[in-house]
Amino acid sequence: MAAVAALVALGLVLWFVAAPGDGDSSDVPTAGSADAGFARDMAVHHQQAVEMSFVIRDSTDDEDVRRLAYDIAQTQVNQRGMLLGWLDLWGLPKISADGYMTWMNGGHNGHSGHRTEDGSLMPGMATDAEIDRLGKAEGKGAEILYLQLLTDHHMGGIDMARACAQQCEVPQERQLAQGMVDAQQSEMQLMADMLKERGSAPR
């Protein structure tokens, strides 16, 4: 199902937006640009959110959490398809030899392109140990951990999207980035309310 959704999303990219400059290669972003860096890094960032959402779908019977997870997974699968589609249209690699987050002005809090101090690939992303904990959790415990991890995840994603909205040059990508900021801020409020209902709170 995810693979089909990704293919559909890629098809939407080709229908929804043409390459910058309508074929003028001089307007295509470079591999080291903020446009390319954001597309590459956010595609990876989104993939983890999708994976965690599928994990919680199988770990709880709570319809509200399952609905949220489904919405997040579908939205981010589609956005990921757009980001990777742009890289294809621009003829740019999907992996940077310089590592993650180097496109942001000065990196993210000095991020050098390697794993952060807590072992995550990028700010907001869950560590391997946290993903393992989520996979083993069940019921209310799994719901709380998922909501906390996704809140952290959204915080990191919002920082990245804001940076693209300021630094990226392709109008369609800036618009997508600002849309991510707005949507994820709304989802963070919803997740805070859901955590409160479960006697918990964001970390």
Side-chain angles (χ1 to χ4, degrees):
M1 181 180 295
V4 172
L7 290 173
V8 170
L10 183 55
L12 288 173
V13 171
L14 300 176
W15 170 81
F16 180 70
V17 59
D22 294 325
D24 182 355
S25 61
S26 65
D27 290 336
V28 173
T30 63
S33 67
D35 299 86
F38 175 74
R40 285 191 299 261
D41 288 354
M42 189 56 83
V44 174
H45 209 269
H46 272 16
Q47 181 60 30
Q48 187 184 72
V50 172
E51 291 172 355
M52 289 193 292
S53 295
F54 283 134
V55 169
I56 193 64
R57 181 194 64 178
D58 298 332
S59 301
T60 180
D61 294 326
D62 187 278
E63 287 302 320
D64 290 336
V65 175
R66 288 171 62 88
R67 186 180 304 110
L68 173 67
Y70 177 83
D71 289 345
I72 288 175
Q74 292 305 306
T75 297
Q76 297 205 11
V77 161
N78 289 336
Q79 291 175 346
R80 187 172 186 270
M82 293 179 72
L83 296 167
L84 295 176
W86 276 325
L87 290 170
D88 283 337
L89 288 170
W90 298 334
L92 297 178
K94 296 181 177 68
I95 298 175
S96 172
D98 296 328
Y100 300 110
M101 306 297 290
T102 56
W103 58 275
M104 291 179 70
N105 285 334
H108 182 94
N109 296 330
H111 197 284
S112 63
H114 304 290
R115 285 184 179 267
T116 60
E117 290 183 2
D118 65 2
S120 61
L121 288 178
M122 285 178 269
M125 289 187 70
T127 64
D128 291 342
E130 288 171 329
I131 294 294
D132 185 59
R133 281 177 54 205
L134 181 62
K136 294 176 180 177
E138 297 179 352
K140 182 178 177 180
E143 295 163 15
I144 290 174
L145 181 57
Y146 170 76
L147 293 168
Q148 289 176 332
L149 291 177
L150 257 292
T151 297
D152 292 347
H153 204 273
H154 274 18
M155 288 177 66
I158 286 172
D159 284 347
M160 293 167 65
R162 280 181 175 150
C164 177
Q166 295 172 354
Q167 297 175 228
C168 291
E169 297 183 1
V170 177
Q172 297 93 337
E173 192 171 15
R174 288 200 307 270
Q175 182 177 5
L176 176 65
Q178 186 58 52
M180 290 179 185
V181 172
D182 297 340
Q184 293 192 17
Q185 285 178 328
S186 177
E187 288 171 348
M188 283 178 64
Q189 182 58 58
L190 174 60
M191 289 189 287
D193 292 341
M194 294 173 76
L195 281 166
K196 186 176 181 179
E197 291 171 358
R198 289 160 177 78
S200 188
R203 299 191 298 181

